[in-house]
Amino acid sequence: MTQRMMIQQQRMSKHYLDWNGEELLDWILCLSGARFIGYQQILRAQFVEYQVCGQMVPYLNDKWWQTLGVTVKEDRDELMTAAKMLVGRGENDEHGDDNEEKKDDDEV
């Protein structure tokens, strides 16, 4: 197993809110067939400077992505869409067990 695959596996086992900047960057670099690989150096530097981590994902809007160095509007749009999907999935993960309990209670 390659180092990148091991990192991806570790990242996937954690909730995005617990990701550090490197794990968030790794997720970004894996999106859309590595479309964002050209941003790797600038994002890494900006993530350190602004202390970006998984807890910031819900707040990464167009202005933030621009500040972080994503210069192409279409790239910012795609990153915002991916972040919204990630946040939505994370909310389902957090509340999934509660929803199952409610469903079971309703059936009784």
Side-chain angles (χ1 to χ4, degrees), residues 11-73:
R11 177 179 39 81
M12 293 306 291
S13 68
K14 292 170 68 174
H15 191 277
Y16 77 88
L17 290 173
D18 297 325
W19 291 351
N20 62 34
E22 279 297 315
E23 290 166 324
L24 178 57
L25 180 60
D26 185 58
W27 173 75
I28 291 167
L29 296 177
C30 292
L31 293 172
S32 300
R35 171 181 175 174
F36 304 106
I37 198 81
Y39 293 107
Q40 183 173 6
Q41 289 181 329
I42 188 69
L43 286 175
R44 180 171 281 120
Q46 296 295 75
F47 279 18
V48 170
E49 182 175 337
Y50 290 100
Q51 300 178 354
V52 176
C53 63
Q55 292 181 352
M56 289 185 69
V57 170
Y59 309 103
L60 292 174
N61 60 21
D62 187 71
K63 184 153 179 88
W64 258 115
W65 285 116
Q66 209 167 6
T67 299
L68 294 171
V70 181
T71 55
V72 177
K73 174 73 170 133

Side-chain angles (χ1 to χ4, degrees), residues 74-100:
E74 291 80 15
D75 291 345
R76 293 192 306 269
D77 290 345
E78 186 163 338
L79 286 166
M80 287 187 297
T81 298
K84 285 178 187 174
M85 290 174 59
L86 179 65
V87 169
R89 227 181 342 213
E91 288 173 357
N92 290 339
D93 290 348
E94 284 180 11
H95 303 295
D97 294 337
D98 294 343
N99 290 338
E100 286 298 318

